Amino acid sequence: VTALCGIYKNVALRRYFGYPINNEFNHEIAVRLLISSTSFMGARLDLGLRPLFSHFTRNHARVYLKVLVGANKADETLRNLGYLAYCFNCLYREFGREVEKICPLCKSKLSIAGPLWIGELHDEDFLSRMIKNCPKEFKEAEKIVKLALEEINLPLGFYKIDKIEQTGNLSWLINGKYNAIVYFSEYD
C-alpha cells in the first residue's frame, strides 16, 4: 500500500504501471492507480471495466469492478485514464488526459501522477442497493458506503483546511475560479 500512496514511486511503477503522489489525498490517488493498472491488464485481454465501489479503509485500497467483454469496452475504459498535475506550493491540481507541467497560479513545477483512473469511482445504483441490503449489524460498512454515495459527481481530489491555511493565499479559493471540495475529517 505504501507504493500506491507515493512512498516508493519506482515500486508503484513496477507493480501498478503508474506514478503516485504523496499528498493530502494520496489514498484517492492510490485507488485511482489501482483501477488504472487493472484497466491495463484487462485491456490486454479485450476486457473493459466499470468501478462499482472503491474505498481506502484501514490501510487497504479496495476496488469492486464490473468486467465488460469486448475490445470496444476495453477502449472505452482506457479513455477514462489520465493524469493528475499537483502543485505542492499552492495546492493547484488538474486532472485530465493531458495536463500542464507548470502551475498556472504560482509558476512552480507541477508533480505528475499517473496514468490514473479519472472517471467515477462508484456506481450510484450499486451503492444504493448495497445500503438497502446491508444488515443492521454492519454499521461501519454502511457508513463507508453512504460516504461513497455522497462522493458521486464530486470533482477529483479535495482540499484540507490545514493545507489551505499553510499556503497563506486563499484568493484563488475564494474568487470561485476553481471548484473546491473542502474536506472535514472526523479522523484528523
Side-chain angles (χ1 to χ4, degrees):
V1 174
T2 55
L4 282 170
C5 291
I7 305 299
Y8 303 109
K9 291 184 180 190
N10 288 336
V11 175
L13 181 61
R14 282 195 316 270
R15 293 183 183 166
Y16 304 105
F17 312 112
Y19 288 105
I21 294 176
N22 186 10
N23 63 7
E24 65 271 16
F25 56 98
N26 63 349
H27 292 163
E28 179 179 347
I29 294 170
V31 167
R32 291 181 180 284
L33 187 57
L34 189 57
I35 296 171
S36 172
S37 67
T38 307
S39 299
F40 283 127
M41 289 185 252
R44 292 178 50 224
L45 304 171
D46 290 336
L47 299 172
L49 59 84
R50 189 183 72 202
L52 298 174
F53 176 44
S54 308
H55 64 100
F56 194 104
T57 308
R58 294 188 181 149
N59 295 319
H60 295 284
R62 293 183 176 96
V63 296
Y64 304 86
L65 309 166
K66 180 175 184 174
V67 176
L68 308 167
V69 179
N72 288 337
K73 297 295 184 182
D75 292 341
E76 185 179 316
T77 297
L78 294 178
R79 283 192 285 276
N80 280 298
L81 301 183
Y83 296 88
L84 158 67
Y86 180 81
C87 181
F88 281 96
N89 187 43
C90 73
L91 306 183
Y92 171 81
R93 74 275 316 267
E94 171 186 349
F95 287 90
R97 292 190 51 96
E98 295 180 15
V99 293
E100 298 292 328
K101 298 202 179 351
I102 302 295
C103 179
L105 300 179
C106 72
K107 308 303 181 207
S108 297
K109 183 180 177 193
L110 294 171
S111 296
I112 308 294
L116 303 169
W117 178 261
I118 59 174
E120 285 290 339
L121 293 175
H122 316 291
D123 179 271
E124 187 171 6
D125 182 53
F126 183 79
L127 294 182
S128 296
R129 286 184 284 137
M130 283 181 70
I131 291 169
K132 180 180 174 186
N133 295 312
C134 186
K136 298 205 183 303
E137 58 270 13
F138 293 125
K139 294 284 185 204
E140 185 178 353
E142 183 179 24
K143 182 178 176 182
I144 293 168
V145 175
K146 283 182 177 179
L147 180 62
L149 193 57
E150 292 173 9
E151 292 176 349
I152 292 176
N153 296 321
L154 291 179
L156 287 69
F158 55 81
Y159 294 90
K160 290 177 83 171
I161 296 296
D162 61 330
K163 287 288 189 180
I164 294 171
E165 290 174 341
Q166 287 173 7
T167 67
N169 180 6
L170 302 181
S171 62
W172 60 270
L173 182 61
I174 295 167
N175 74 13
K177 186 175 179 183
Y178 297 95
N179 289 331
I181 299 303
V182 180
Y183 174 68
F184 298 93
S185 174
E186 63 188 79
Y187 302 109
D188 288 345

